[in-house]
Each structure stands twice: as C-alpha cells, then as structure tokens.
Amino acid sequence: MRGCLWLPVGSSDVYAFYRATVDVIIASRIALFLSAAFFILGVFIPSPALHPFFMVGGLLAFYFAVMYIQLPGFVNAVPARWATWLLLALFLIGLAASYQYGYLPFLPFSLFYALLSARRLTRQPTYYPNAITIAGLLLLPLSPTHIAAVASFPLASVYTLLYRIDSSRARLPLSFKKVLAVTASYLASWLLLVVGQLWALLIPSLVLTASAPPKPRDTYGVGSLLFRWLIALAPLHHHLMYMAFVVIMSALCAPYFPPSILYREMPNYKYELLTMALIAYIARALEIVALAALAVAALVLYVAVRLFLSKPVPLKPP
C-alpha cells in the first residue's frame, strides 16, 4: 500500500513525481474554482435550503484546495495520481449528496483523506500537526448540522495552519504534547457545540494561543489574533462563527494559497482584504445582511481579479 499510495520526496522517479504533483495542483484548482462559485451563489441566493448548502460547500471546497496543495509538504510525499483523482471524486460525490442526505456521504472522502494525511504521523515534529486536520476530517461525516460541519474539517484546517505558522513565528518547536492538547480541546469543543454550547469554541482558542501565541505585527498576525476571539463570539449569533472564517481567509488563505494553486506571483496585498472581511463581519453582527453579502462578494471578486492580473509562474517539467 505504501509504495502505491505515495511518492516520497527524494526517492521517487522524477517524472512520476512531477506528474503526480501536477495532478495535486489541478485537483486543488478544481476545488478552488468550485469554492468561489459556491460562495458567490450562496451570497446571492437567500433560499433557506440552498444558502447553507452553497456556503458550507464553498468552505469545504476551499479548505480542500488549501490543505491538499500543501499535503506533499505536510507528509513529505506526493499522493499517487490515482489517489488524487479518487479523493477528488469522493469529495464531489459527498458534496453533491450532502444537499439531500447531510454530511454522512463525506465518510469515504474523510477516511481516505485521513489516511493520506496520517503518513508517518508520529515520526517527526513536522508531521505532528496533521493530527488536528485528521480529527476534523473524521468529524465531518458525523456532523448533524451545518454549524457542526463548519466546525469540522474547515475549522480543524485553520487550527492546523495557525499552530504551524504561529509556532514558527514565535520560534517555538512543534510539540507532540501541544498538538495533542490542541486536538483534544478542539474535539471537546466540537462535541459541546453539537449539543448547542457554542461558547465552547473559546476552549481551543485559549489552548491554541497558549501553545502558539500570535504575533500581530502584520496583516497575518492581526488576522490570526482576531480569528481566535471573533469565532468565540458565535454564541451571539451562529453567523458570526462563519464570518470569522472570512477574517482568517482574508489574512492567511486568500493572500498566500490561491497564488500557489494557480502558479501566479503573489499580489502585493496590504490591509484591504482584512478590511473588507472586518466590514463583512461587523455588518453581519449588526444584521446589515446586504452590506455583509456585498463585502464578501467584493472580497472574492477582488482576489480573483488581482490573481488573474498577476504574472503566471509556469511549473517547468524536470
């Protein structure tokens, strides 16, 4: 299984490794484009059934793209070509079926993605944070509500990235004990959230901040700090939980990962993305729904325009 599931870095045929890498990029692009379409549709379709389907589906597709493009770095290997396309197919099947059957159809996707993420999980510190992502993946098909689904794979992905990045920025080593603490606090908060205790989102924010304190010296640092506490305001309104994702996506995900997925130079963003995200968050908190929707749509379209105006960086074959 090990030999046919992954192509390890440095010990695989160079052409096979290149082709598998290209497939990871293409699959991530498909998920990224799908997420953008779902976000726009969700913003402008007020249907009680379709709005949450598009908004949660868009979030799931976005974090599929963001996390899968980084998986080779997280496990020091590229998934085999067949594994990439099987994973994408399982995701699309789960997404399509979720409209009618809830999130249980994501079970095959979650199990397979968890398997891909578990390579050498306890071997080296760089692999440890994958445990947080795996926990979120396994919770996705168990999610009984849209809120629980948002708190599954997407939220676990954010915690994984914040732990990795803020540990590095604080010059702290990746620690298995700290990863276990973050994972345990995250699992406890999800279980409490499922029974209606939205305040529990404060628990992993506290543990994550103690384990990997943010450094608010730039746009990312400010977004990282804000996300931990804005998401804890979910008891005031469940939409504030979702809107907190807009904040961290504007500070971390949107500036850095779409350029990597699309192989384009990174635009020189300043604070405009975070500003639009905060406008959307505040407007939704004040129940100014139209302004919040316009701010989110403007954010998505602005990122898309800046990306496609940036210079392509082709991936050259070996």
Side-chain angles (χ1 to χ4, degrees), residues 233 236-237 239-240 243 279-288 292:
L233 298 179
L236 300 179
H237 197 295
H239 273 101
L240 297 185
M243 298 305 292
I279 290 171
Y281 185 96
I282 294 169
R284 194 64 186 83
L286 297 175
E287 297 291 341
I288 310 174

Side-chain angles (χ1 to χ4, degrees), residues 28 31 33 52-53 55 62 70 75 83 100 113 122 133 205 235 255 275:
S28 299
F33 293 144
F53 168 71
M55 296 307 286
F62 184 82
Q70 299 178 90
V75 300
Q100 184 69 33
Y113 198 172
T122 60
T133 306
S205 289
T275 300

Side-chain angles (χ1 to χ4, degrees), residues 136-216:
L137 283 166
L138 297 179
L139 293 178
L140 174 57
L142 302 178
S143 299
T145 64
H146 297 306
I147 296 175
V150 169
S152 65
F153 172 54
L155 185 55
S157 299
V158 174
Y159 287 149
T160 302
L161 294 174
L162 295 189
Y163 177 73
R164 285 184 179 276
I165 295 169
D166 288 324
S167 292
S168 176
R169 285 163 60 98
R171 298 185 179 181
L172 296 171
L174 298 177
S175 160
F176 192 66
K177 289 184 178 179
K178 288 182 178 180
V179 167
L180 285 180
V182 173
T183 305
S185 67
Y186 162 67
L187 289 171
S189 72
W190 188 88
L191 291 172
L192 288 168
L193 179 145
V194 166
V195 296
Q197 303 300 316
L198 294 180
W199 64 266
L201 291 168
L202 180 63
I203 301 172
S205 289
L206 291 170
V207 175
L208 178 64
T209 300
S211 302
K215 302 292 182 182

Side-chain angles (χ1 to χ4, degrees), residues 8 10 16 59 78 115 119 123 128 134-135 166 171 232 245 253 258 277-278 283 288 293:
L59 200 64
V78 176
L115 174 64
R119 181 177 186 267
R123 296 287 185 87
Y128 297 162
I134 291 170
D166 288 324
R171 298 185 179 181
F245 278 91
C253 305
L278 289 174
I288 310 174

Side-chain angles (χ1 to χ4, degrees), residues 16-300:
F17 188 90
Y18 170 79
R19 290 190 292 269
T21 300
V22 170
D23 284 357
V24 168
I25 295 168
I26 294 172
S28 299
R29 286 179 181 176
I30 292 170
L32 182 66
F33 293 144
L34 180 64
S35 73
F38 268 45
F39 284 142
I40 295 298
L41 289 169
V43 164
F44 291 107
I45 294 179
S47 163
L50 289 174
H51 174 73
F53 168 71
F54 283 127
M55 296 307 286
V56 178
L59 200 64
L60 290 170
F62 184 82
Y63 280 100
F64 175 92
V66 163
M67 298 304 283
Y68 199 61
I69 195 69
Q70 299 178 90
L71 185 64
F74 290 165
V75 300
N76 203 36
V78 176
R81 301 184 71 185
W82 68 266
T84 288
W85 296 115
L86 175 59
L87 185 68
L88 180 62
L90 293 175
F91 175 78
L92 295 176
I93 291 169
L95 183 62
S98 67
Y99 179 75
Q100 184 69 33
Y101 301 105
Y103 295 97
L104 185 59
F106 278 106
L107 180 61
F109 162 77
S110 292
L111 291 176
F112 191 46
Y113 198 172
L115 174 64
L116 291 174
S117 300
R119 181 177 186 267
R120 296 186 173 182
L121 185 61
T122 60
R123 296 287 185 87
Q124 294 178 17
T126 189
Y127 301 135
Y128 297 162
N130 295 340
I132 308 170
T133 306
I134 291 170
L137 283 166
L138 297 179
L139 293 178
L140 174 57
L142 302 178
S143 299
T145 64
H146 297 306
I147 296 175
V150 169
S152 65
F153 172 54
L155 185 55
S157 299
V158 174
Y159 287 149
T160 302
L161 294 174
L162 295 189
Y163 177 73
R164 285 184 179 276
I165 295 169
D166 288 324
S167 292
S168 176
R169 285 163 60 98
R171 298 185 179 181
L172 296 171
L174 298 177
S175 160
F176 192 66
K177 289 184 178 179
K178 288 182 178 180
V179 167
L180 285 180
V182 173
T183 305
S185 67
Y186 162 67
L187 289 171
S189 72
W190 188 88
L191 291 172
L192 288 168
L193 179 145
V194 166
V195 296
Q197 303 300 316
L198 294 180
W199 64 266
L201 291 168
L202 180 63
I203 301 172
S205 289
L206 291 170
V207 175
L208 178 64
T209 300
S211 302
K215 302 292 182 182
R217 56 176 179 254
D218 53 17
T219 307
Y220 164 75
V222 172
S224 175
L225 176 64
L226 288 174
F227 173 80
R228 300 162 193 240
W229 311 116
L230 291 179
I231 199 167
L233 298 179
L236 300 179
H237 197 295
H238 67 272
H239 273 101
L240 297 185
M241 175 186 173
Y242 192 96
M243 298 305 292
F245 278 91
V246 181
V247 173
I248 194 59
M249 288 163 70
S250 72
L252 169 60
C253 305
Y256 297 103
F257 298 124
S260 302
I261 295 169
L262 300 175
Y263 267 75
R264 290 179 175 270
E265 289 185 353
M266 189 178 74
N268 184 25
Y269 299 114
K270 299 189 183 300
Y271 279 88
E272 64 268 38
L273 300 185
L274 184 58
T275 300
M276 284 188 275
L278 289 174
I279 290 171
Y281 185 96
I282 294 169
R284 194 64 186 83
L286 297 175
E287 297 291 341
I288 310 174
V289 178
L291 177 58
L294 287 174
V296 171
L299 177 60
V300 173

